[in-house]
Amino acid sequence: MNVPSVRTAAERSDTSAVRIGALVPLSPPGWVEAGRHLRAGLEAAVGDVNDSGGIGGRPLDLVVRDTAADPRRAAAAMEELAGLGVAAVAGEYHSVVARAAAAGADALRLPFLCSSAVLDALTEEPTDWVARLAPPQSHGWRLYADFLLGAGHRRIAVAAEPSVYWASGTRVLRDRLATRGGTVIELDARALTPTDVCDALVTHRATALLLLTGFPEPAVSIVKAVRADRRLTGRETGTGAEIGTGAEGTGAGTGGGAENSGPATGGATGILIGAPAGQPEFAAWSGSLGDDGAAVPFLRYLPGHLSPLGVRVDQALRERLAAPPSFVAFEGYDTVTVLADMLRRHGTDRAGIAASWSQVTVEGTRGRIQFTRVPGISVWQAARTPIQVADRDPAAPGRFRVLHAT
């Protein structure tokens, strides 16, 4: 299908347009590929809204601001967008950036629907001005811990960089693993060289290594070092653990490419490398690592099958991106779908939008979207967001395997 281009509000002379802001990482050190997918989803949805009559006959405009993974830029963008009169703000991928945006939204009394960030504590106190589509980190990373336990892993090393997001994820993993006798071994990814990481894995007899680091570095160097270390592949000493032995293979492929369900095994012995934050979802991972990037389980937020809307949007996103869309692109589309529905019902009244999260019931690309209050989560949370643990198939790294799913 042909996807109409979307102009920003600054490029339009039509003052009757309804404006929504969009926060997207479009330049380094932000994850630019994720930002490109997020923006593609946002813009595709705006095009569909306008093709179907807009908001009460008024066109919907997207005012995009690049956060570059910088919380200060996000906070400044929220103030600018509030001054421009946007009815609401959508987007953001990085959790620490989304937290700054959410704090600004609460202070400015500006509705913000976060597309992708998962950090539980998006705001310090409960607020009605912020909602989120992605599942909270505590939920998704517990599922990932269950996958590791089901695969027989009890000694899990994490190579982590300093970050509220990585520290929160480590805490979730440690607490979940401890319930079944698992332990987490913390390695400082900034202080240790990739060779040091390999040495530590051998010393601690870890059977899995999780990368809680930036990409491409140090993640790429660590993966290459581990893959090349004969002590960790099981080819020399026999100390390596089976990769993913015993994990369940559930769910059919969907969305971002040709996929299939399959066992959590890389077809070889050795230490399991994992990246729960989702880096292997994107083409840059495979481009940087090739075959070494396969069999690295990660979290993705897709169902076993896309909804009928999702199937149609998948094709549109493939044309827009000239590549298979990631789950982040679907999150972007669904964000605008939700806000457009709220705008049709409440107009551009910010207070009316913020007061109506509980009334949302919208068909999205991955199923029906509704919001609820979750204990311990300070923002309105989308209910029943699908979660998968997936990896790239070693036999065909361009294909994904679903290893575990809700």
Side-chain angles (χ1 to χ4, degrees), residues 41-59:
L42 294 166
E43 292 183 343
V46 169
D48 284 353
V49 169
N50 288 335
D51 282 350
S52 63
I55 308 299
R58 301 168 63 187

Side-chain angles (χ1 to χ4, degrees), residues 69-137:
D70 185 339
R72 292 171 296 180
R73 285 183 63 162
M78 291 297 286
E79 291 191 14
E80 179 193 3
L81 291 169
L84 289 173
V86 300
V89 176
E92 194 45 50
Y93 173 78
H94 298 284
S95 281
V96 292
V97 181
R99 187 170 65 160
D106 185 58
L108 294 164
R109 301 175 69 82
L110 176 61
F112 172 41
L113 178 52
C114 181
S115 302
S116 297
V118 300
L119 190 67
D120 282 30
L122 276 184
T123 57
E124 294 295 331
E125 301 292 337
T127 178
D128 284 328
W129 295 96
V130 182
R132 170 171 52 199
L133 276 181
Q137 187 179 26

Side-chain angles (χ1 to χ4, degrees), residues 22-80:
L23 302 179
V24 187
L26 297 173
S27 59
W31 185 273
V32 175
E33 188 176 7
R36 188 169 69 90
H37 280 238
L38 178 57
R39 183 174 185 173
L42 294 166
E43 292 183 343
V46 169
D48 284 353
V49 169
N50 288 335
D51 282 350
S52 63
I55 308 299
R58 301 168 63 187
L60 182 64
D61 265 341
L62 196 65
V63 187
V64 180
R65 292 296 179 265
D66 175 17
T67 65
D70 185 339
R72 292 171 296 180
R73 285 183 63 162
M78 291 297 286
E79 291 191 14
E80 179 193 3

Side-chain angles (χ1 to χ4, degrees), residues 217-240:
E217 293 301 335
V220 168
S221 294
I222 293 174
V223 171
K224 288 182 176 180
V226 172
R227 296 295 199 212
D229 194 317
R230 295 179 65 85
R231 298 171 298 171
L232 300 172
T233 62
R235 292 194 297 267
E236 181 175 272
T237 65
T239 57

Side-chain angles (χ1 to χ4, degrees), residues 14-404:
D14 186 352
T15 57
S16 70
V18 175
R19 297 178 175 184
I20 58 173
L23 302 179
V24 187
L26 297 173
S27 59
W31 185 273
V32 175
E33 188 176 7
R36 188 169 69 90
H37 280 238
L38 178 57
R39 183 174 185 173
L42 294 166
E43 292 183 343
V46 169
D48 284 353
V49 169
N50 288 335
D51 282 350
S52 63
I55 308 299
R58 301 168 63 187
L60 182 64
D61 265 341
L62 196 65
V63 187
V64 180
R65 292 296 179 265
D66 175 17
T67 65
D70 185 339
R72 292 171 296 180
R73 285 183 63 162
M78 291 297 286
E79 291 191 14
E80 179 193 3
L81 291 169
L84 289 173
V86 300
V89 176
E92 194 45 50
Y93 173 78
H94 298 284
S95 281
V96 292
V97 181
R99 187 170 65 160
D106 185 58
L108 294 164
R109 301 175 69 82
L110 176 61
F112 172 41
L113 178 52
C114 181
S115 302
S116 297
V118 300
L119 190 67
D120 282 30
L122 276 184
T123 57
E124 294 295 331
E125 301 292 337
T127 178
D128 284 328
W129 295 96
V130 182
R132 170 171 52 199
L133 276 181
Q137 187 179 26
S138 57
H139 183 50
W141 286 48
R142 280 197 297 265
L143 180 78
Y144 195 92
D146 291 343
F147 159 74
L148 292 172
L149 290 165
H153 296 285
R154 295 294 184 277
R155 297 183 63 79
I156 316 298
V158 297
E161 293 181 299
S163 163
V164 171
Y165 174 64
W166 299 127
S168 174
T170 300
R171 186 167 53 252
V172 172
L173 291 168
R174 182 187 296 110
D175 291 347
R176 190 68 164 187
L177 291 165
T179 63
R180 288 171 55 185
T183 60
V184 170
I185 303 148
E186 295 189 49
L187 306 177
D188 188 337
R190 288 194 175 178
L192 300 177
T193 67
T195 299
D196 292 336
V197 171
C198 293
D199 291 342
L201 295 173
V202 173
T203 298
H204 292 285
R205 293 178 292 113
T207 65
L209 169 67
L210 306 186
L211 301 172
L212 310 189
T213 68
F215 178 87
E217 293 301 335
V220 168
S221 294
I222 293 174
V223 171
K224 288 182 176 180
V226 172
R227 296 295 199 212
D229 194 317
R230 295 179 65 85
R231 298 171 298 171
L232 300 172
T233 62
R235 292 194 297 267
E236 181 175 272
T237 65
T239 57
E242 279 292 322
I243 297 180
T245 303
E248 71 182 285
T250 59
T254 162
E259 306 158 24
N260 63 349
S261 59
T265 172
T269 59
I271 193 165
L272 172 71
I273 303 175
Q279 298 96 321
E281 169 83 1
F282 296 99
W285 174 272
S286 186
S288 297
L289 286 164
D291 291 345
D292 283 344
V296 178
F298 64 95
L299 287 167
R300 68 200 313 231
Y301 307 121
L302 288 174
H305 298 280
L306 292 171
S307 71
L309 171 64
V311 173
R312 179 178 66 79
V313 171
D314 174 69
Q315 182 59 40
L317 290 171
R318 287 172 185 269
E319 294 181 14
R320 185 177 287 272
L321 290 164
S326 69
F327 68 86
V328 177
F330 291 104
E331 288 175 328
Y333 189 96
D334 287 345
T335 304
V336 170
T337 299
V338 169
L339 290 177
D341 178 75
M342 299 176 82
L343 288 166
R344 291 185 182 109
R345 289 186 289 110
H346 300 283
T348 58
D349 176 49
R350 293 175 178 175
I353 294 170
S356 63
W357 298 113
S358 64
Q359 302 169 27
V360 170
T361 175
V362 175
E363 190 62 32
T365 59
R366 299 162 298 161
R368 186 156 294 276
I369 301 171
Q370 295 176 302
F371 294 92
T372 185
R373 284 294 192 185
V374 177
I377 306 297
S378 58
V379 302
W380 283 94
Q381 178 65 53
R384 298 181 298 278
T385 303
I387 306 175
Q388 298 173 347
V389 178
D391 71 357
R392 290 182 175 271
D393 190 341
R399 181 172 63 210
F400 294 105
R401 304 181 301 179
V402 178
L403 310 175
H404 190 62

